[in-house]
Amino acid sequence: MFMQFVTGFQIYSSAIQRPLWATSRCRIRTRCNFSNSSYPHQVLQYIDEECGDFLPWLRQKSGAEISSVLSIGKSIYGRSLFACKPIQAGDCILKVPYSVQLAPDNLHPSINSLLGEDVGNVAKLALVILLHQRFGEQASEWAPYISCLPRVEDMHSTVLWSDEELKMIKISSLYHETLKHKGQIEKDFSSIKHVLDSFPEYFDGVTLHEFKHAYNLVESRGWVSTRGVSMIPFADFFNHDANSETDVLSDDFKQVSEVIADENYAPGDEVLIRYGKFSNARLLLDFGFIIPRNKYDQVKVEVNAPPNDHLHALKLDLLHRHTTPSLKDVNDLSSQENGFMVMEVKSSSGKGRGIPQSLRALARVLCCTSPQELQDLAMEATQNDGRLARIPLKNRDREVEAHQLLHSRFSHMIENYKAALESLTHHSSEKHRRRMQLARDFLTGELRILESASSWLKNYCQTLKQRESV
């Protein structure tokens, strides 16, 4: 993901155009593997000796102080940044000049000139990383930074999962989105293959697997900037806290990226930022971790008109005439036709917030049994705000039937999710065990959402029936 980014101190959606979710996306850095606990602000940590020379190198390369209050260490979540001095909310805790940020324009002109217009900034920056990885510590001026980037075996984004591992989440829409994105990466690799072959002294033997690793490093650690997309050394060591209000700021006039603390930190506290308001599907795809009971979590639910319905054509025509713009969830992930993003319903006796009104409207249309009922819905929409079937049907039995249809769909999904969870068995290797646990926790979170929606629908139908009997 490229994260929420601020440029010129005005909020800017740092998104890369990618077909994965059929829309632009915010992304930033592959992180460590988060546990199933909430995020404590103070955790056991120690100095990361592997990166001991990194900050002095970055300071020398930039000719400026990067941070005097942060140190690189390791937490239970992996590599992270800690306060080494007291920090007050509002303090500028990090400044990284543009001159020490990696971007596509770091690619040598002789290489860049061979790339077609279809090669995007992510693929170009991935080539920059591959180039410096091949140069090694002796020849690359960026070696202290490149050597601190995660190894492929330490990354768990679903685009890096094997086909067998992906089957663990096949029940979720994330499975299909991952396959789409893997296909895009393969397409990008094909687009730059002739460049790799033209410079065997730099790229000899580079495989799709290596390119995918570099590609995911960029997607998970990069910010969109005026240079296309940039990797900001040191800033990408921050871990994620969904409740943090801290962003990375970019000042094009001063040519520097900054981070301003949103709360106080004592020495030894882990300093966190928020990558974005992302669902676990988004986090697992982009970063390879999930958040327990993620308040932004959601599940894609598809409901289609039965093709054997004698009113099938009329219903589709009515839905087409009153269709709303492409559905988007809070993470800006677009839904496919008849796909709806459902969030957790907090109370079974409330208003059903979390279940899209458009999904309930579709169910009302699907339960109509005569052309007259469809005409009545169309007339009602015209007389109101143009939106179709957004208010309860006057026929209470039909309203119950519509929501029982949805309840049946959710119940079917719940059974499938439970079966998928039961099918997960232990693997011997550490990597497979970790990914299986991620799959189990991810599916459990989506199951929780489905069960909350199912409970509300059941209660809604029972309430309507009780009113009818009074």
Side-chain angles (χ1 to χ4, degrees), residues 288-305:
F289 70 83
I290 66 169
I291 298 175
R293 303 198 69 85
N294 184 350
K295 63 181 179 181
Y296 303 115
D297 215 358
Q298 50 201 321
V299 180
K300 184 176 180 180
V301 176
E302 294 186 7
V303 178
N304 298 293

Side-chain angles (χ1 to χ4, degrees), residues 51-62:
C51 293
D53 297 331
F54 171 74
L55 191 54
W57 164 82
L58 187 61
R59 186 184 299 116
Q60 181 180 16
K61 186 173 179 61
S62 67

Side-chain angles (χ1 to χ4, degrees), residues 62-311:
S62 67
E65 180 66 66
I66 301 299
S67 177
S68 62
V69 296
L70 296 174
S71 63
I72 305 171
K74 288 186 178 179
S75 71
I76 57 175
Y77 310 134
R79 182 170 292 142
S80 188
L81 296 181
F82 294 85
C84 57
K85 295 179 181 179
I87 295 173
Q88 300 296 316
D91 288 350
C92 179
I93 58 177
L94 177 149
K95 286 187 179 183
V96 182
Y98 285 7
S99 61
V100 289
Q101 299 180 22
L102 279 177
D105 56 25
N106 286 95
L107 196 60
H108 195 278
S110 62
I111 298 176
N112 193 51
S113 65
L114 297 181
L115 297 173
E117 293 183 358
D118 59 328
V119 179
N121 286 321
V122 179
K124 289 180 180 179
L125 191 45
L127 277 175
V128 174
I129 292 175
L130 285 170
L131 186 64
H132 287 283
Q133 286 176 335
R134 289 305 180 96
F135 280 162
E137 295 183 7
Q138 301 302 318
S140 172
E141 61 175 319
W142 291 93
Y145 174 60
I146 298 297
S147 64
C148 286
L149 296 176
R151 298 169 300 178
V152 66
E153 57 265 28
D154 296 325
M155 300 169 68
H156 298 284
S157 161
T158 52
V159 297
L160 300 174
W161 289 21
S162 68
D163 291 343
E164 192 64 29
E165 289 169 334
L166 282 175
K167 290 180 181 178
M168 296 187 294
I169 57 170
K170 192 171 185 178
I171 191 68
S172 170
S173 62
L174 174 59
Y175 171 80
H176 300 286
E177 302 301 345
T178 301
L179 292 183
K180 288 181 189 178
H181 190 37
K182 291 179 75 171
Q184 180 61 41
I185 295 174
E186 292 171 7
K187 180 180 178 181
D188 287 343
F189 183 69
S190 296
S191 297
I192 58 107
K193 189 66 169 64
H194 69 285
V195 177
L196 303 180
D197 295 338
S198 299
F199 294 91
E201 66 272 30
Y202 301 140
F203 301 113
D204 184 42
V206 168
T207 64
L208 172 61
H209 183 68
E210 290 176 286
F211 178 72
K212 190 181 296 182
H213 174 218
Y215 200 101
N216 190 237
L217 283 171
V218 176
E219 288 194 305
S220 61
R221 307 180 79 87
W223 284 262
V224 165
S225 69
T226 53
R227 297 169 68 188
V229 55
S230 299
M231 295 181 71
I232 307 177
F234 196 68
D236 60 2
F237 292 156
F238 281 113
N239 274 329
H240 171 68
D241 178 3
N243 298 314
S244 175
E245 295 298 328
T246 300
D247 290 313
V248 176
L249 312 174
S250 180
D251 189 328
D252 289 338
F253 180 74
K254 294 181 180 178
Q255 296 283 287
V256 66
S257 297
E258 302 178 337
V259 174
I260 309 298
D262 71 326
E263 61 179 281
N264 299 338
Y265 292 94
D269 286 352
E270 184 176 16
V271 182
L272 305 166
I273 67 173
R274 184 175 67 194
Y275 298 174
K277 299 178 180 180
F278 301 137
S279 68
N280 277 341
R282 178 72 170 272
L283 292 173
L284 189 53
L285 175 69
D286 290 342
F287 311 111
F289 70 83
I290 66 169
I291 298 175
R293 303 198 69 85
N294 184 350
K295 63 181 179 181
Y296 303 115
D297 215 358
Q298 50 201 321
V299 180
K300 184 176 180 180
V301 176
E302 294 186 7
V303 178
N304 298 293
N308 58 350
D309 186 342
H310 71 286
L311 297 175

Side-chain angles (χ1 to χ4, degrees), residues 182-469:
K182 291 179 75 171
Q184 180 61 41
I185 295 174
E186 292 171 7
K187 180 180 178 181
D188 287 343
F189 183 69
S190 296
S191 297
I192 58 107
K193 189 66 169 64
H194 69 285
V195 177
L196 303 180
D197 295 338
S198 299
F199 294 91
E201 66 272 30
Y202 301 140
F203 301 113
D204 184 42
V206 168
T207 64
L208 172 61
H209 183 68
E210 290 176 286
F211 178 72
K212 190 181 296 182
H213 174 218
Y215 200 101
N216 190 237
L217 283 171
V218 176
E219 288 194 305
S220 61
R221 307 180 79 87
W223 284 262
V224 165
S225 69
T226 53
R227 297 169 68 188
V229 55
S230 299
M231 295 181 71
I232 307 177
F234 196 68
D236 60 2
F237 292 156
F238 281 113
N239 274 329
H240 171 68
D241 178 3
N243 298 314
S244 175
E245 295 298 328
T246 300
D247 290 313
V248 176
L249 312 174
S250 180
D251 189 328
D252 289 338
F253 180 74
K254 294 181 180 178
Q255 296 283 287
V256 66
S257 297
E258 302 178 337
V259 174
I260 309 298
D262 71 326
E263 61 179 281
N264 299 338
Y265 292 94
D269 286 352
E270 184 176 16
V271 182
L272 305 166
I273 67 173
R274 184 175 67 194
Y275 298 174
K277 299 178 180 180
F278 301 137
S279 68
N280 277 341
R282 178 72 170 272
L283 292 173
L284 189 53
L285 175 69
D286 290 342
F287 311 111
F289 70 83
I290 66 169
I291 298 175
R293 303 198 69 85
N294 184 350
K295 63 181 179 181
Y296 303 115
D297 215 358
Q298 50 201 321
V299 180
K300 184 176 180 180
V301 176
E302 294 186 7
V303 178
N304 298 293
N308 58 350
D309 186 342
H310 71 286
L311 297 175
H312 182 75
L314 287 177
K315 290 177 180 180
L316 289 185
D317 178 66
L318 179 63
L319 291 167
H320 177 72
R321 285 188 284 115
H322 289 270
T323 188
T324 56
S326 297
L327 299 171
K328 294 184 178 180
D329 63 28
V330 296
N331 295 317
D332 200 31
L333 308 181
S334 67
S335 300
Q336 297 176 1
E337 184 178 2
N338 295 338
F340 303 84
M341 303 309 295
V342 177
M343 300 185 73
E344 183 176 9
V345 183
K346 300 296 184 181
S347 171
S348 61
S349 59
K351 296 182 178 180
R353 291 179 180 174
I355 304 176
Q357 283 292 333
S358 53
L359 175 56
R360 298 173 64 187
L362 174 62
R364 290 172 179 136
V365 173
L366 296 184
C367 284
C368 288
T369 58
S370 70
Q372 184 60 51
E373 285 182 291
L374 295 175
Q375 291 176 15
D376 290 344
L377 288 180
M379 180 65 69
E380 183 180 80
T382 302
Q383 292 173 347
N384 292 293
D385 60 3
R387 297 189 300 174
L388 185 68
R390 294 302 181 98
I391 59 178
L393 296 173
K394 295 181 176 65
N395 185 324
R396 190 166 293 179
D397 288 339
R398 192 76 73 237
E399 176 74 356
V400 171
E401 182 183 350
H403 286 78
Q404 285 179 332
L405 182 152
L406 293 181
H407 183 261
S408 175
R409 174 63 180 142
F410 278 90
S411 296
H412 178 68
M413 292 183 68
I414 287 170
E415 291 306 311
N416 286 341
Y417 267 76
K418 288 181 177 179
L421 282 165
E422 289 178 1
S423 70
L424 297 181
T425 56
H426 294 290
H427 281 276
S428 56
S429 72
E430 174 61 27
K431 183 177 72 173
H432 286 291
R433 285 199 301 271
R434 184 170 296 177
R435 291 179 178 177
M436 175 167 288
Q437 188 60 51
L438 283 169
R440 181 177 288 109
D441 293 342
F442 171 70
L443 294 181
T444 299
E446 292 204 335
L447 175 60
R448 185 188 75 251
I449 292 171
L450 293 171
E451 288 178 334
S452 74
S454 175
S455 178
W456 184 87
L457 289 165
K458 180 180 180 180
N459 184 72
Y460 181 73
C461 292
Q462 289 177 341
T463 301
L464 289 181
K465 290 178 179 179
Q466 290 171 357
R467 290 175 183 173
E468 185 69 23
S469 63

Side-chain angles (χ1 to χ4, degrees), residues 29-49:
R29 64 201 131 305
T30 293
R31 213 21 67 243
C32 50
N33 303 298
F34 285 70
S35 69
N36 290 331
S37 60
S38 58
Y39 305 113
H41 285 281
Q42 189 162 357
V43 294
L44 294 176
Q45 56 92 16
Y46 56 89
I47 298 300
D48 187 349
E49 295 180 356

